[in-house]
Amino acid sequence: MLTQIKGLHHVTSIASDAARNNAFFTDALGLRRVKKTVNFDAPDVYHLYYGDEVGTPGTVMTHFPFQRAARGTPGVGEVGETVFAVPAGSLDFWADRLAGRAENLARDTQFGENRLTFRSDDGEAFALSEAADDPRTPWTGNGVGSDHAIRGFRGASMRLADTGAMVELLTYMGYEKLDTRDGVTRYVIAGDNPADTIDLVQASGVQEARAGAGSVHHIAFAVEDRAAQVAVRQKLIDTGYAVTPVIDRDYFWAIYFRTPGGVLFEIATNEPGFDRDEDTANLGEALKLPSQHEHLRAQLEQHLQPLG
């Protein structure tokens, strides 16, 4: 069993408009934009990161906004819902705040936690879950007070045709089964990262998901440093997974592998962090480019959609 995994690091999705995406996560959800950069493989597309004050692993939602991208089709083989933690008693505030800003607002209860579920304008599924005693300090710079502000991720759900292989993988990664309720099975991982839950939903007979705007591209799990990542990579390879080489993503190092159920997993390091090229006070303000794309700066600054 792996012992290096520290819960979630980040979740990365596809959007259809950069300005709307930026407004939704900063103005509506009150998160901080901690990095404005570009997709390594498609530098004419932003890569936008949102989280707490410094982009602590376990708080960061990221998006590739491919302008006018067609909406994805939900199905099996994907992350179905990304869940943020909010303080107990804050759901009325969020229901009022998101009215007219988000789609399909609804209330439910899952594993004893009251939740507000909703979708972005791209149809991406989210939930705010009242998590008691979450110790994380929230970002409050976008007009949401500390009594209500998002603390970071609670976890995520995955919708699969067959959960068997995923159960084996999560168990190997250090997750333990907590309970099954209403067709959802929750797995949790011990440690000091409150972004510690993965929920599995078996949806037999459902069509395969088709990626597009509103789809999660990949889900990333945290390890402390590069040494831990190398050890995880070798153990995954020894177990039979096809894992990429280590890739420098400027703010963390990453490896990727496709899971049997179809979901793309990333293992990302907690180092070096988002302040490696900007001071904390100014995170997310300037356009930061990977070194291999710096020569395109003038062209990209003209092409990329202006953001507030």
Side-chain angles (χ1 to χ4, degrees):
M1 186 180 78
L2 301 176
T3 59
Q4 298 90 344
I5 303 296
K6 307 295 183 182
L8 293 185
H9 187 283
H10 66 270
V11 177
T12 296
S13 299
I14 301 169
S16 64
D17 184 89
R20 286 202 309 269
N21 180 260
N22 182 76
F24 184 73
F25 283 93
T26 60
D27 296 342
L29 292 184
L31 299 177
R32 185 182 196 186
R33 190 179 71 214
V34 295
K35 196 61 58 180
K36 180 171 68 170
T37 183
V38 297
N39 187 311
F40 273 78
D41 302 315
D44 59 336
V45 176
Y46 276 121
H47 192 176
L48 303 176
Y49 294 76
Y50 312 99
D52 68 1
E53 181 180 14
V54 296
T56 304
T59 75
V60 180
M61 188 79 213
T62 98
H63 278 83
F64 302 135
F66 289 88
Q67 295 301 113
R68 296 175 295 279
R71 182 174 287 202
T73 302
V76 295
E78 66 174 354
V79 172
E81 183 180 68
T82 303
V83 184
F84 293 102
V86 295
S90 65
L91 292 188
D92 287 343
F93 167 87
W94 283 108
D96 290 342
R97 184 176 180 86
L98 294 179
R101 295 178 169 184
E103 302 174 359
N104 303 112
L105 289 166
R107 303 280 190 110
D108 69 11
T109 301
Q110 199 165 97
F111 298 97
E113 296 179 4
N114 295 323
R115 309 191 324 153
L116 177 69
T117 61
F118 58 96
R119 291 183 178 272
S120 70
D121 62 333
D122 282 320
E124 187 172 358
F126 295 99
L128 301 178
S129 184
E130 291 187 339
D133 302 322
D134 191 316
R136 292 175 289 186
T137 301
W139 171 250
T140 57
N142 288 336
V144 181
S146 60
D147 289 346
H148 304 111
I150 289 171
R151 267 47 184 172
F153 293 126
R154 182 74 176 97
S157 70
M158 300 180 196
R159 190 167 45 237
L160 306 170
D162 186 340
T163 60
M166 182 63 76
V167 168
E168 291 183 9
L169 174 58
L170 290 177
T171 301
Y172 185 64
M173 290 171 61
Y175 282 81
E176 297 182 352
K177 180 179 176 180
L178 177 67
D179 198 2
T180 298
R181 300 185 189 180
D182 302 319
V184 180
T185 303
R186 172 157 292 185
Y187 290 82
V188 298
I189 192 167
D192 58 3
N193 179 0
D196 60 359
T197 69
I198 294 292
D199 292 339
L200 298 185
V201 181
Q202 184 157 316
S204 304
V206 176
Q207 65 182 351
E208 289 190 7
R210 188 187 71 214
S215 302
V216 172
H217 183 272
H218 63 267
I219 183 168
F221 297 84
V223 291
E224 194 60 39
D225 53 32
R226 296 183 71 184
Q229 184 182 66
V230 168
V232 168
R233 180 176 184 271
Q234 188 58 56
K235 288 183 179 180
L236 288 169
I237 290 172
D238 291 345
T239 307
Y241 286 97
V243 187
T244 67
V246 175
I247 302 171
D248 183 356
R249 294 303 194 196
D250 284 350
Y251 312 108
F252 47 87
W253 283 270
I255 57 175
Y256 303 87
F257 64 102
R258 184 73 62 177
T259 66
V263 181
L264 182 62
F265 275 16
E266 175 183 346
I267 308 296
T269 62
N270 289 345
E271 58 175 4
F274 293 100
D275 59 355
R276 66 173 295 273
D277 58 1
E278 289 180 294
D279 62 80
T280 299
N282 301 108
L283 285 180
E285 296 179 6
L287 176 65
K288 296 297 179 180
L289 298 178
S291 58
Q292 64 266 42
H293 298 317
E294 187 60 49
H295 69 286
L296 300 173
R297 177 172 291 277
Q299 175 185 335
L300 292 174
E301 287 180 341
Q302 278 194 326
H303 168 80
L304 291 167
Q305 187 180 18
L307 302 177

